[in-house]
Amino acid sequence: YDYALPVNTTYDRSFATPALRGLETLHRHAAEALDFLRSKNDRFLYNGKAISTRRRLRLSNSQGVDLRVEHDDATWWLGFKHRDSRDIFDGYFAGFSGHGFDFMDSVERNLPLLAAFEKRLSAAKGKRKVVFANPSPLLGKLTESLRIDRYREGACLFAGRQGQPLFNQNFSLYDVRLDPEHSVFSPFDGEGTLSPMDALPLIEKGVFKNVISDLRYGKKYGVASTGNGQRPPEAN
């Protein structure tokens, strides 16, 4: 490395969720959610799976850095098939639980999908133009302005416009690094830098506030790292 790495930094937090431990507990929560779903709409057949996971992440180096985070989470998928349908399945919905665990809440929020499936619409016979839109190129063009290297080089859409209102005042965008309720647990990056805050405002109430940086570009442009350094998956 031609830039200084963090030294003498420690972090050790655990976000254990007892409700996510053990197959019996997981099965009970899933069974309760399924019973509720069938009581609300028995015109569908349901089939799915739930997975409970304990995750541990540690990063350490020879300069006194020792960073650890541990958390539990659960994910689940539920397919549905109308009893009158000839298809194998008609759709599915999925959910996850982070530090807060609530299958029932996810099921309740997805109930409108079932009602929408049963709503039949008629369309007149004829030819129509259909447009398939891929949002990735547009999203990439917008988000490249949030990188310190693109921003300083002027190779982005919003170069030189930091601090200016660029979007509707009702729009905000944050780099969220720690939000246990929504299963986000990334308090440090691949270079061993602790994030300066749990949620860094990039766009706040329409105003372009901040850009992200790692240690390499931080040295090049004379700014502090925002804890966004990446490591290749094969790094040890």
Side-chain angles (χ1 to χ4, degrees):
Y1 297 92
D2 61 353
Y3 51 88
L5 292 173
V7 298
N8 300 324
T9 306
T10 59
Y11 183 94
D12 190 355
R13 292 191 67 180
S14 175
F15 299 89
T17 308
L20 294 179
R21 296 182 185 176
L23 291 178
E24 281 190 23
T25 303
L26 190 66
H27 180 268
R28 177 170 55 82
H29 281 284
E32 290 173 354
L34 278 173
D35 288 343
F36 170 81
L37 190 57
R38 293 179 181 124
S39 71
K40 292 295 183 180
N41 194 328
D42 63 354
R43 297 180 299 278
F44 289 85
L45 301 173
Y46 306 99
N47 186 31
K49 67 178 179 179
I51 301 173
S52 176
T53 308
R54 166 68 60 85
R55 303 183 188 276
R56 297 182 180 93
L57 178 65
R58 180 185 182 190
L59 187 151
S60 62
N61 65 21
S62 58
Q63 299 185 130
V65 171
D66 192 5
L67 311 174
R68 312 178 192 209
V69 64
E70 176 183 79
H71 66 93
D72 301 319
D73 64 27
T75 56
W76 60 272
W77 299 265
L78 189 64
F80 58 84
K81 175 187 180 301
H82 197 277
R83 293 183 183 274
D84 297 333
S85 173
R86 297 180 180 179
D87 296 321
I88 297 176
F89 73 97
D90 295 315
Y92 79 97
F93 42 83
F96 73 92
S97 297
H99 195 51
F101 178 73
D102 196 343
F103 273 168
M104 198 73 73
D105 176 66
S106 296
V107 167
E108 289 178 340
R109 286 188 287 107
N110 280 284
L111 277 174
L113 287 178
L114 303 179
F117 180 86
E118 293 187 291
K119 186 176 182 180
R120 304 299 175 91
L121 299 177
S122 59
K125 184 178 180 180
K127 294 183 178 180
R128 293 172 177 81
K129 293 181 178 180
V130 179
V131 176
F132 294 92
N134 183 354
S136 296
L138 176 59
L139 184 62
K141 191 64 181 175
L142 292 174
T143 56
E144 69 179 2
S145 298
L146 304 175
R147 291 174 42 179
I148 184 67
D149 55 327
R150 297 282 188 175
Y151 184 81
R152 289 293 185 91
E153 293 167 4
C156 61
L157 189 62
F158 300 125
R161 303 188 66 181
Q162 190 172 352
Q164 298 180 18
L166 301 178
F167 301 91
N168 186 286
Q169 63 179 358
N170 294 320
F171 176 69
S172 296
L173 178 67
Y174 296 86
D175 176 26
V176 180
R177 307 305 299 276
L178 187 63
D179 185 358
E181 192 66 25
H182 295 92
S183 199
V184 179
F185 301 94
S186 301
F188 50 87
D189 68 4
E191 295 175 322
T193 301
L194 285 172
S195 301
M197 58 184 68
D198 293 345
L200 176 70
L202 303 175
I203 300 168
E204 193 168 48
K205 295 182 179 180
V207 178
F208 181 14
K209 300 280 287 193
N210 291 292
V211 294
I212 61 175
S213 176
D214 58 8
L215 292 173
R216 177 167 62 110
Y217 285 120
K219 177 184 177 182
K220 181 176 181 179
Y221 296 110
V223 298
S225 170
T226 55
N228 290 92
Q230 301 294 319
R231 297 183 87 205
E234 65 273 10
N236 294 318

